[in-house]
Amino acid sequence: MRPTKTILISGGGIAGPALAYWLRAYGFTPVVVERAPQIRTGGQRIEMSGVGAEALHRMGLLERIRAQSGQPPEGVFYLGRADRRVDMPSWSPPSETRYERAPFAVKRGVLGTVLYENARDGVEYVFDDSITEIRQSDDGVDVSFENSPPRRVDLVVGADGLYSNVRSQVFGPADRFTRFLGTNLVIFTVDNYLGHRDSMSWHMWPYRGCAITTFPGNTELEGLFLFRSTTPLNVRDLTVDQRMRLVDKIYADAGWEVPGLLRAMRDSRDFVFTPSTQIRMDSWTRGRVALVGDSGYCPDPMSGQGSTLALVGAYILAAELKAAEGDHTRALPAYDAAMRRFVAFSQGVADFSTAFAAPRTGRWGVWAREQQLRAFFAVAHRARRMNLSLPAAWDYGGSLSLEDYRPAA
């Protein structure tokens, strides 16, 4: 069996160009096929720290990304019908005080563009195309496309997101791997009509929540609605206007800043309405095919870990291929095993975040939770003034670090 050389990557978002960069650096020949006609520059706000920032640092991109980013916004909660303001204590865990792991906020489009520009030299990109068939054999993979001639490659990597084309062709239909988290997410970008600065403002009601967050630079706001349902709301057959009217109905009796946000939503540039879902799989590899990023282990946007997992997965997959000298029978199982702890942590964050932002309880349950928050934040503020450390559970992600695959000097 000849060693792996040419690797076809389906998807040019975050995981795709990150993987292409590392593969090229390790002497492989990556080819990226992307359904869109060009790199997508839109998208939501990303907060990154820990291993995600560390992965960018190892690519030599952290300075460049930070120059186009900002500090994570300060959390503010508005509680009860009186909208009483309670500031969330800002307290960076010890593991994130190092520069290469310190938190920052950046637009997804900025991150994707920098990754693409970093990878495109020496990497073939095929835009406006998609894989139609994948046929594996002992010595390679024959791939057919919508618009391009067929190719024979050594490996195929699906980095094509939650609705992965590669996953559906090789592993089976999406419903086999999709886990509904009990909430539906609406997220969109509008001009900063409120004049907020460096803040993330939250309010919650029974079975619903809302957040308004500034983008770096404070010229735009990200509006977020999260609400519960027993089954995922299927809105694919609805127009954007019909989806917005459904959100209007669900939040019709909410106060606070919601009425103004619903009006501003009508002029949003990137309105998204989607069930909160994760991809859960027993294996992210099969034969000569591997999945990386959301296609294999989407943690859900509420986790804030999607881009981190994409960067970490790309780093580990490429490094394991290098360590195995291109032998995919050794590299792919090693990649699968190495990613498990990162994925388990990130998907657990989503369970906590959705339960916190959209309470699974009625009016009195929300009131009790608000009192707990007020008491807890008061204690946390006092502890911070006394320079006391956080409980270890708050910094569980700090125990996750990237293995250094570089050979010892």
Side-chain angles (χ1 to χ4, degrees):
M1 181 178 61
R2 62 191 178 91
T4 297
K5 183 64 177 176
T6 304
I7 301 174
L8 178 67
I9 304 168
S10 175
I14 301 299
L19 179 60
Y21 163 81
W22 286 115
L23 291 174
R24 183 196 62 196
Y26 292 150
F28 298 100
T29 303
V31 178
V32 180
V33 58
E34 165 58 46
R35 180 186 294 274
Q38 59 189 9
I39 290 297
R40 296 166 179 161
T41 58
Q44 279 71 46
R45 178 186 53 86
I46 295 171
E47 288 191 34
M48 189 167 291
S49 62
V51 288
E54 188 178 344
L56 291 171
H57 175 68
R58 295 196 182 193
M59 297 174 76
L61 296 179
L62 190 55
E63 289 279 359
R64 184 175 171 188
I65 295 292
R66 285 190 182 280
Q68 301 179 67
S69 66
Q71 291 298 312
E74 297 290 331
V76 180
F77 286 83
Y78 290 86
L79 307 181
R81 295 180 178 179
D83 303 332
R84 291 187 297 274
R85 174 176 174 141
V86 178
D87 292 337
M88 181 177 179
S90 57
W91 203 342
S92 294
S95 66
E96 297 184 1
T97 57
R98 303 198 311 270
Y99 175 79
E100 67 272 17
R101 293 175 64 92
F104 62 91
V106 65
K107 279 189 174 182
R108 189 185 188 282
V110 169
L111 179 60
T113 298
V114 171
L115 289 169
Y116 165 67
E117 292 174 349
N118 186 58
R120 64 184 174 185
D121 291 341
V123 173
E124 180 184 359
Y125 267 79
V126 181
F127 287 102
D128 198 21
D129 210 346
S130 181
I131 295 173
T132 58
E133 189 175 6
I134 298 171
R135 300 178 302 281
Q136 299 191 61
S137 63
D138 290 342
D139 58 351
V141 189
D142 293 303
V143 185
S144 300
F145 302 88
E146 286 183 359
N147 303 317
S148 302
R151 292 180 185 239
R152 185 168 181 78
V153 299
D154 297 305
L155 291 181
V156 173
V157 178
D160 45 354
L162 176 63
Y163 303 104
S164 171
N165 177 32
V166 172
R167 187 186 65 235
S168 64
Q169 291 194 44
V170 177
F171 296 84
D175 56 9
R176 289 177 52 188
F177 312 111
T178 301
R179 174 180 179 246
F180 178 53
L181 300 182
T183 55
N184 301 272
L185 174 69
V186 173
I187 192 166
F188 51 92
T189 303
V190 297
D191 292 333
N192 189 357
Y193 67 98
L194 291 170
H196 288 186
R197 297 192 62 80
D198 303 319
S199 66
M200 175 185 288
S201 303
W202 288 90
H203 208 307
M204 56 187 174
W205 303 266
Y207 310 105
R208 297 171 296 171
C210 175
I212 304 174
T213 310
T214 55
F215 277 89
N218 295 305
T219 61
E220 295 175 308
L221 298 174
E222 180 180 85
L224 182 150
F225 293 114
L226 190 74
F227 52 93
R228 297 202 162 272
S229 63
T230 54
T231 58
L233 295 186
N234 184 2
V235 297
R236 288 193 174 187
D237 295 332
L238 301 182
T239 66
V240 171
D241 181 67
Q242 289 172 327
R243 297 176 192 185
M244 289 184 175
R245 281 193 274 123
L246 178 57
V247 178
D248 287 339
K249 181 178 180 180
I250 292 170
Y251 282 84
D253 62 343
W256 187 51
E257 300 286 358
V258 168
L261 187 62
L262 289 172
R263 290 191 295 270
M265 178 182 70
R266 292 288 173 172
D267 297 321
S268 62
R269 294 175 285 279
D270 52 2
F271 177 86
V272 175
F273 189 138
T274 182
S276 302
T277 55
Q278 293 179 338
I279 298 298
R280 297 261 181 133
M281 303 181 69
D282 293 333
S283 176
W284 303 307
T285 69
R286 178 167 293 178
R288 291 177 173 268
V289 177
L291 302 175
V292 66
D294 280 356
S295 60
Y297 31 80
C298 174
D300 184 70
M302 284 300 295
S303 73
Q305 297 292 306
S307 294
T308 290
L309 282 182
L311 293 169
V312 171
Y315 172 82
I316 292 177
L317 176 56
E320 292 293 355
L321 282 165
K322 173 180 177 288
E325 298 180 332
D327 182 353
H328 73 281
T329 64
R330 291 191 290 129
L332 298 192
Y335 154 73
D336 195 298
M339 280 300 295
R340 289 290 158 182
R341 61 194 180 114
F342 295 102
V343 173
F345 166 73
S346 297
Q347 293 190 334
V349 171
D351 285 326
F352 172 81
S353 298
T354 53
F356 179 82
R360 197 182 294 109
T361 185
R363 182 165 63 91
W364 289 108
V366 170
W367 178 85
R369 178 174 293 189
E370 289 177 338
Q371 307 319 303
Q372 292 170 350
L373 277 179
R374 294 178 67 186
F376 178 76
F377 287 169
V379 171
H381 279 297
R382 182 177 179 84
R384 185 184 181 193
R385 289 193 296 269
M386 297 172 64
N387 292 320
L388 298 178
S389 60
L390 286 171
W394 276 42
D395 194 24
Y396 179 79
S399 66
L400 301 175
S401 60
L402 296 180
E403 182 179 345
D404 193 339
Y405 288 86
R406 292 172 295 185

